[in-house]
Amino acid sequence: MIRRAFWLAAGITIGVVAVRKVSQAKSTLGPEGLNRAVGQISDSIADFADALRSAMSERENDLRAALGVEAPAAPAAPGAPGADDAPASRRSLR
């Protein structure tokens, strides 16, 4: 009798674990899971890009301070009087 109860409990446990794993795989591989995964990846890439821009800006400021070079003036807003939409290297060629 105890052996039957043991095997019954073991079978129920294995069944519950299997159902949970299948439902988890189903939600992960379904459209919602795919959207969630893509969202997490895009958030990670955006965070990395923000950290990279911040580090680049800090390093540029450090280099400018070490070389004694002043930071360039902020570019004029598009459409402002005297503002040209072409980059500086292109303006010199005109």
Side-chain angles (χ1 to χ4, degrees), residues 75 84-94:
D84 193 1
D85 291 338
S89 60
R90 296 252 180 179
R91 277 189 244 136
S92 63
L93 297 176
R94 291 184 186 173

Side-chain angles (χ1 to χ4, degrees), residues 6-7 9-10 17 26 35 49 57 63 66 71-72 78 81 84 90-92:
F6 171 76
W7 288 113
V17 169
K26 187 177 172 183
N35 287 340
S57 177
L63 290 172
D84 193 1
R90 296 252 180 179
R91 277 189 244 136
S92 63

Side-chain angles (χ1 to χ4, degrees), residues 14-92:
I14 291 171
V16 168
V17 169
V19 167
R20 283 187 168 184
K21 291 289 185 180
V22 167
S23 64
Q24 181 183 12
K26 187 177 172 183
S27 69
T28 302
L29 298 175
E32 298 87 15
L34 183 60
N35 287 340
R36 188 172 35 253
V38 169
Q40 289 173 347
I41 290 171
S42 66
D43 290 344
S44 297
I45 291 172
D47 292 343
F48 175 74
D50 290 342
L52 186 66
R53 281 189 211 104
S54 173
M56 286 173 43
S57 177
E58 284 181 30
R59 181 66 177 148
E60 183 177 0
N61 290 337
D62 291 345
L63 290 172
R64 286 184 183 280
L67 294 174
V69 178
E70 292 184 22
D84 193 1
D85 291 338
S89 60
R90 296 252 180 179
R91 277 189 244 136
S92 63

